[in-house]
Each structure stands twice: as structure tokens, then as C-alpha cells.
Amino acid sequence: MYSITTIAPIRATALPKGTGLRMLVASYSSITSPAITTLRQSPLINNKNNHAVSKRSISSAKPKSAIKEFFPKVETKQIVEVESGWRHPVYTEAQMKSIQIQHREVRNWSDWVALAMARVLRWGMDTATGYKHPADGEKFGMTEKNWMNRILFLESVAGVPGMVAGMLRHLRSLRTMKRDNGWIETLLEEAHNERMHLLTFMKIAQPGLFMRLMVLGAQGVYFNGLFFSYLVSPRTCHRFVGYLEEEAVITYTRIIEEIEAGNLPEWARMEAPEIAIKYWDMPEGHRTMHDLMLYVRADEAKHREVNHTLGNLNQKADPNPYTAVFRDNSKPRPSKGVDLTKPTGWERDEVI
């Protein structure tokens, strides 16, 4: 359990004669033992429960004062803060609690490819974050730290698809000298929203070196894979993201249920970070971690709807219904909020 560290004494004879340092060492050696022995706890032993630690620590929930600011707030002599150009829509509690887990059934080969890709990525994420869904009647073995590992990994790659798609559509618009009909704005806003999720959770826990290396590798593979895939089939990519967002809704729903069941006591008592309160305009009395998870789940549900809708459209000709002005407003229409959601997306004949 303990390793012995032996520090050999400095011999006075090894020093030059006639020096004060030699006399000082000689006098010190006469009152000490031939060797100084100390006990140091082995790194394989856990102080609290005295059992071997077999898993690598991916992230650590350090005290707030010890957390490094990965995205520090910048102030100058003239500027106090920088405001976002995208204002987040206001969600009501009833709207957020109405979000449900739903799945869009596959209808063609493109959907099959997208679903297969989403399942492969889900398997990789489960493996990387140690996630395992319990059998019926069993409790989750996930702690706050385990869930945070999963969230940080999820949100660090979730902001990639919108940026890749928006960038490619932007370049195509410049190259062909044609309008994009509103797609770029929605895609970049989605990427920004996912990045805000990451910034929020990084105010709560700092990712460790191992997690950051995994994110670096995953982001490199993910970005390049999406880049070439979007060039080949944008429709399949949007369907793929829609299926991924279905998984995100499942993840946050499980977390909400765990908090409500009292299985995550630290989060039950924790308040949401200031950056979250400001971004979502969280009202007084509704600023807990439970409330934060409701907001994030609502965002993911909206991304689910948006990408399934975009996957239903003609990728080159149809305008984006989320930025369009409709002729007949008496019918239900897509919006940026969650007042009216279609988890499986709006069909083309409903919006075009």
C-alpha cells in the first residue's frame, strides 16, 4: 500500500576542505540517521476507499477558482463585453417539459446510411465516455462526473456539422454567384448554439488531458468526414445530424430523469453558471442544473427538427423555411422556438 522513499545523506567528505558548507553538513549529519526514510502513498491507492483505481480520469470537477478559463472574457479600456449577434429564443417551462424522445423511421437508402453512421458514432461515443444504459428496473451507474464526461465529448463535436455545412454552402454561393436562400444563417446559428452549450458546461468542469486528446482526434476525423460527405450528399448529412440529435435528446432526458429521481445529488443543489443564465435568459427561481438541462434538451430537440426538415428539401433549390416569410400564416409554420415542434421534421409539401 505504501512505497518507501529513501534519501541518502550528503557526505561532508565529498565537499571541499576548509569550507563553511562542509562544516555545516558535518554537524547536520551527526544528528541525523544514516538515511532519511519517508512514506508516500502509492498512486494506485485511493485515499477514501483504499481500492485500486482502474479507470483513467477524463475530466475533473475542480473548485471554481481552480478551473482554467479556456474561453476567457476579454475586456479592454473601451469595451466591457462582446454581445452575440444571435439572440436565443425564449422558452417557457411548459414548452421545455413537453419535449419527448421520438425517432424518424427510415424511408430510403439515404436514411439507412445516415442512421447507420449515427449508430456507429453513438457506439464510439459510448465507448469513449464509459456510458452503459442499464437494463429495465436497474439504476444508472453514471455519476455527475460520468455524465459530464459524456456531455463535454458530445458538445465538443456537436458544433461541427453546422459549421461544415454553412461553410460549404457559403463557398458554393460565392462560387456560383447565387443566393443561398437562408440556409447559411440557420446552420451557423446551430453551430454557435452548440458551442454555447460547451462553454456553459466548461464553467462547471474542466476536461482532463485524456479527454482533450480524444476530442482533438474525434474532431479531426469528424470534420473531414463531414466535409467530404456533404459534398457528396447534403441530404444524407442532414438526416445523419437529425438522428444524432435524437440521441442527444435521449441523453439529456436521461439526465433530467436522474436528477428528478435524486440520483445526482450534487447537480440537484447546483445553480446554473452565469453564462447560461444570460444566454437563455433564465428567470429567477429557475436557474438550477435541472433547469439548465431542460434548456439544452429543448435546443437539441430543435436541432433534431431542423435537420430532419432540411433533409426533406431540395438541397439546391428550396429556401430555408426557418427564415422564410410565408404567404399564408393561418397554418402552422416552422419557427426558431419550441412553441411548435415536429420531432421528425416538416415534410416538403408542408413548407415549400
Side-chain angles (χ1 to χ4, degrees):
M1 293 179 62
Y2 290 87
S3 60
I4 300 177
T5 303
T6 303
I7 304 173
I10 301 175
R11 296 182 180 276
T13 55
L15 299 173
K17 294 182 178 181
T19 62
L21 180 59
R22 176 170 179 169
M23 290 185 289
L24 177 63
V25 171
S27 61
Y28 176 77
S29 300
S30 64
I31 60 173
T32 58
S33 59
I36 302 171
T37 304
T38 60
L39 290 177
R40 180 178 59 195
Q41 190 174 12
S42 170
L44 295 178
I45 304 300
N46 185 292
N47 283 331
K48 293 182 179 180
N49 47 25
N50 290 332
H51 66 273
V53 179
S54 60
K55 293 186 178 180
R56 181 187 296 270
S57 177
I58 296 179
S59 70
S60 57
K62 296 184 178 181
K64 192 170 184 179
S65 60
I67 296 178
K68 178 182 177 181
E69 284 284 358
F70 283 85
F71 302 92
K73 181 180 177 181
V74 177
E75 295 185 13
T76 69
K77 293 181 179 180
Q78 306 294 331
I79 298 174
V80 177
E81 63 178 336
V82 178
E83 293 187 345
S84 172
W86 284 299
R87 292 292 182 181
H88 194 281
V90 177
Y91 298 157
T92 67
E93 185 177 6
Q95 290 171 351
M96 293 188 292
K97 288 186 175 180
S98 67
I99 301 298
Q100 296 181 352
I101 296 173
Q102 292 197 33
H103 172 65
R104 179 187 173 91
E105 298 296 334
V106 295
R107 302 180 185 180
N108 49 50
W109 71 268
S110 178
D111 290 357
W112 278 110
V113 172
L115 182 59
M117 291 169 57
R119 286 178 174 173
V120 169
L121 188 62
R122 166 67 189 268
W123 172 84
M125 186 173 64
D126 288 351
T127 303
T129 60
Y131 175 88
K132 184 178 180 181
H133 192 76
D136 293 339
E138 294 183 0
K139 290 177 59 178
F140 265 106
M142 301 279 285
T143 64
E144 289 91 345
K145 182 178 178 180
N146 298 139
W147 281 117
M148 186 57 67
N149 290 339
R150 184 174 180 81
I151 289 171
L152 290 175
F153 190 83
L154 172 67
E155 298 297 349
S156 62
V157 297
V160 174
M163 181 58 65
V164 171
M167 176 189 68
L168 288 175
R169 296 190 72 93
H170 171 73
L171 293 176
R172 190 183 71 177
S173 178
L174 297 177
R175 187 171 61 251
T176 60
M177 300 182 184
K178 294 181 180 179
R179 296 187 61 174
D180 184 67
N181 293 321
W183 287 56
I184 296 172
E185 179 183 347
T186 294
L187 293 169
L188 295 183
E189 187 174 6
E190 177 183 312
H192 168 72
N193 177 254
E194 296 288 8
R195 188 179 66 91
M196 290 303 298
H197 292 178
L198 179 62
L199 295 184
T200 295
F201 289 114
M202 287 182 67
K203 286 289 186 179
I204 301 171
Q206 175 184 348
L209 177 61
F210 185 59
M211 169 61 82
R212 280 182 279 173
L213 289 175
M214 284 201 306
V215 168
L216 180 63
Q219 192 176 86
V221 174
Y222 194 37
F223 179 92
N224 288 286
L226 276 172
F227 180 89
F228 290 108
S229 298
Y230 203 87
L231 291 174
V232 175
S233 178
R235 182 192 301 273
T236 303
C237 289
H238 285 298
R239 187 72 70 218
F240 163 71
V241 177
Y243 285 134
L244 281 184
E245 298 295 354
E246 290 180 0
E247 298 294 340
V249 171
I250 293 174
T251 292
Y252 287 108
T253 299
R254 301 292 183 238
I255 294 174
I256 292 169
E257 291 173 348
E258 286 291 281
I259 294 176
E260 292 174 348
N263 297 327
L264 301 175
E266 291 183 17
W267 284 0
R269 300 186 300 268
M270 188 181 297
E271 287 192 2
E274 183 63 30
I275 187 175
I277 295 173
K278 185 174 181 179
Y279 178 66
W280 281 283
D281 195 17
M282 301 171 73
E284 289 282 353
H286 296 276
R287 296 177 176 178
T288 65
M289 280 292 290
H290 178 265
D291 296 309
L292 173 60
M293 295 301 175
L294 289 174
Y295 278 99
V296 175
R297 183 182 66 170
D299 284 346
E300 305 296 2
K302 195 63 189 181
H303 300 329
R304 173 184 64 184
E305 175 198 315
V306 169
N307 280 279
H308 277 319
T309 300
L310 296 181
N312 294 335
L313 305 181
N314 183 317
Q315 304 296 300
K316 294 183 178 180
D318 289 344
N320 174 16
Y322 291 93
T323 58
V325 178
F326 290 91
R327 299 180 187 277
D328 184 5
N329 290 320
S330 62
K331 299 179 181 179
R333 299 299 186 186
S335 69
K336 292 185 178 182
V338 291
D339 50 329
L340 177 62
T341 60
K342 284 204 170 186
T344 58
W346 296 77
E347 298 300 328
R348 186 173 184 272
D349 58 4
E350 294 178 306
V351 294
I352 301 299

